Amino acid sequence: MRILHTSDWHIGRTFHGNSTMDALTEVLGALTEQVRTHSVDVVVVAGDVFDSATPSGPAYSLLGDALVALDEAGARVIVTSGNHDSAARLGFQARLLRDGIHVLTDPLAVGEPITIADADGPVHFFGIPYLEPAIVRQHWPEGDSAGRPLRTQAQTMGHAMDLVRAGMDTHEGRAVAIAHCFAAGVDATAGLEREVRQGGLDVVPLSVFDGPDYVALGHIHGRQTLSERVRYAGAPLHYSFGEQHKARGSWLVDLDAHGLAAVEWLELPVPRRLVTLTGTLHEILAPEMVAEHANEWVCAVYTDALPQAEPMRRLRESYPYCAMVQHQPVAVSEAEERSYSQRLRTAVTDVDRIEAFLEHVRAGHGATDAERDLIRAVLDERVRAEALV
């Protein structure tokens, strides 16, 4: 059996205020072409189908079109819900979908698989929707294997996988698990979801996923191979500049009669590349730089000592897809790295105090000659005004 593993579509997410619907439509079209080209039997979508618990009408339309296209390309489709999805909203239409499309959002059905057979026998797909411990612990009052209440993702996912393994015991054949969580061993530079918590409470040990022939994970936006049989596919689009160098694609998974046979990475197209340009504003606006990157999403990091006037407007005149601008002055020498209070101790006049303040907020760079003239003029005017009172 041939399976295509994808996840984290985030239908409806914006990119710095810009819609991603057209780009995602293009990429999901390419995903459908992968199904045709590689004769895929089953497409697995491991959570975060939508970006919001309250998707817009166009988001539902895009999802419907994508699922129908995958089905018409010859694949069965199995979708689970993620932390961004509303399980109720994503799952309400499950009964209305055609036979080849399955949407799994009920935690109480974790141990009951969707079974699809090939020439080598049945393959059982166990879908685990995103499990928020505070919400789902009421369904499993027995707690974890030690009888403790389910308070963490590790405990909750461990219990769910126990149910999966119990289901595997009663359903003979190969097995695939689908889950949405933050598993131990993930490379922190891979594109962590913005809701991944700090402190380790949501980290699920890799051993929790022992048992199935393949585990398709979602939640991390970059592809990850935690073991030969446990993987993240990542998001099909770049949703932040931090992800710009990460490959976009899906895992093509082959199962033979004995279990996992092969896994191959299939690249997806990038509708518009992301690039971070660093240098002075003058350097970033240089004609040769503009010619190379004018049609890309741009994050401009300008290193001028002082903030420049209207940098975004000036950048967008040359880079119509400039989405972000940051001012990061080149670091000053250690001799100039004094605290604000240290600078004030050497200040005698009001001009000196203003100079100390400017040095503090400008990473060591004080007033320019023109600014000093303006400061003196304002202070002189204040003295004249006080004399008239």
Side-chain angles (χ1 to χ4, degrees):
M1 180 173 291
R2 181 158 279 184
I3 302 163
L4 195 69
H5 169 198
T6 179
S7 70
D8 294 272
W9 290 1
H10 286 281
I11 301 173
R13 174 170 287 195
T14 58
F15 180 76
H16 295 275
N18 300 278
S19 173
T20 62
M21 296 289 276
D22 289 343
L24 188 56
T25 298
E26 177 184 339
V27 172
L28 294 182
L31 191 79
T32 302
E33 192 56 39
Q34 289 180 347
V35 170
R36 293 193 185 95
T37 301
H38 297 277
S39 300
V40 171
D41 301 299
V42 181
V43 174
V44 166
V45 186
D48 276 358
V49 178
F50 292 120
D51 188 58
S52 167
T54 55
S56 65
Y60 276 110
S61 297
L62 195 159
L63 175 61
D65 292 344
L67 295 180
V68 169
L70 291 170
D71 179 73
E72 291 179 346
R76 302 283 289 273
V77 185
I78 301 175
V79 180
T80 60
S81 53
N83 58 301
H84 277 250
D85 300 308
S86 163
R89 286 188 172 89
L90 183 61
F92 91 94
Q93 56 185 347
R95 295 182 182 179
L96 307 177
L97 295 171
R98 57 182 68 187
D99 291 339
I101 302 173
H102 309 272
V103 179
L104 310 180
T105 61
D106 183 3
L108 296 179
V110 163
E112 293 298 321
I114 299 297
T115 299
I116 302 172
D118 65 1
D120 295 315
V123 177
H124 308 293
F125 292 83
F126 293 88
I128 305 174
Y130 178 74
L131 302 174
E132 179 62 48
I135 296 175
V136 302
R137 73 167 66 105
Q138 62 178 318
H139 300 310
W140 298 317
E142 67 274 23
D144 64 10
S145 57
R148 297 168 298 187
L150 303 179
R151 300 190 183 280
T152 68
Q153 275 279 298
Q155 290 175 303
T156 307
M157 188 60 67
H159 184 73
M161 283 301 299
D162 286 342
L163 295 175
V164 168
R165 284 183 282 268
M168 290 171 59
D169 290 340
T170 58
H171 295 81
E172 184 178 352
R174 296 155 292 169
V176 173
I178 311 160
H180 194 87
C181 65
F182 182 36
V186 168
D187 178 1
T189 66
L192 299 184
E193 252 293 10
R194 59 190 181 220
E195 281 78 15
V196 171
R197 300 176 189 171
Q198 297 179 355
L201 291 179
D202 279 357
V203 177
V204 180
L206 193 58
S207 60
V208 164
F209 301 107
D210 289 349
D213 296 284
Y214 184 77
V215 179
L217 296 179
H219 197 43
I220 304 302
H221 284 190
R223 68 176 178 185
Q224 291 275 288
T225 301
L226 305 186
S227 76
E228 190 61 25
R229 40 174 290 282
V230 182
R231 298 171 185 256
Y232 287 95
L237 277 183
H238 292 117
Y239 286 115
S240 72
F241 282 102
E243 303 171 15
Q244 68 189 59
H245 301 301
K246 306 301 179 182
R248 303 288 89 166
S250 55
W251 289 114
L252 185 66
V253 181
D254 282 317
L255 301 182
D256 61 15
H258 306 290
L260 183 63
V263 183
E264 178 186 355
W265 178 252
L266 301 181
E267 295 278 354
L268 283 170
V270 177
R272 191 179 303 284
R273 289 183 62 247
L274 281 67
V275 64
T276 299
L277 305 180
T278 302
T280 65
L281 194 59
H282 178 75
E283 291 169 343
I284 293 174
L285 291 172
E288 58 274 16
M289 186 79 79
V290 173
E292 184 177 355
H293 301 291
N295 292 317
E296 299 170 348
W297 288 116
V298 170
C299 171
V301 181
Y302 73 95
T303 59
D304 299 70
L306 302 178
Q308 300 298 294
E310 300 183 280
M312 179 61 86
R313 180 190 62 77
R314 293 164 64 186
L315 285 161
R316 283 187 172 168
E317 289 176 351
S318 298
Y319 299 100
Y321 302 103
C322 183
M324 178 185 294
V325 59
Q326 298 176 343
H327 179 218
Q328 293 183 7
V330 175
V332 297
S333 65
E334 291 186 7
E336 292 299 327
E337 291 180 350
R338 296 176 293 164
S339 68
Y340 185 37
S341 60
Q342 290 172 328
R343 297 178 195 277
L344 283 177
R345 289 192 192 105
T346 61
V348 177
T349 66
D350 287 344
V351 173
D352 294 336
R353 296 185 184 95
I354 294 172
E355 180 77 10
F357 173 76
L358 292 176
E359 288 179 350
H360 176 64
V361 298
R362 291 176 170 180
H365 296 278
T368 64
D369 291 340
E371 289 171 337
R372 289 190 185 92
D373 291 341
L374 179 60
I375 291 167
R376 290 190 181 94
V378 170
L379 292 176
D380 289 345
E381 184 64 30
R382 187 198 67 180
V383 171
R384 285 194 291 272
E386 289 175 349
L388 294 175
V389 174

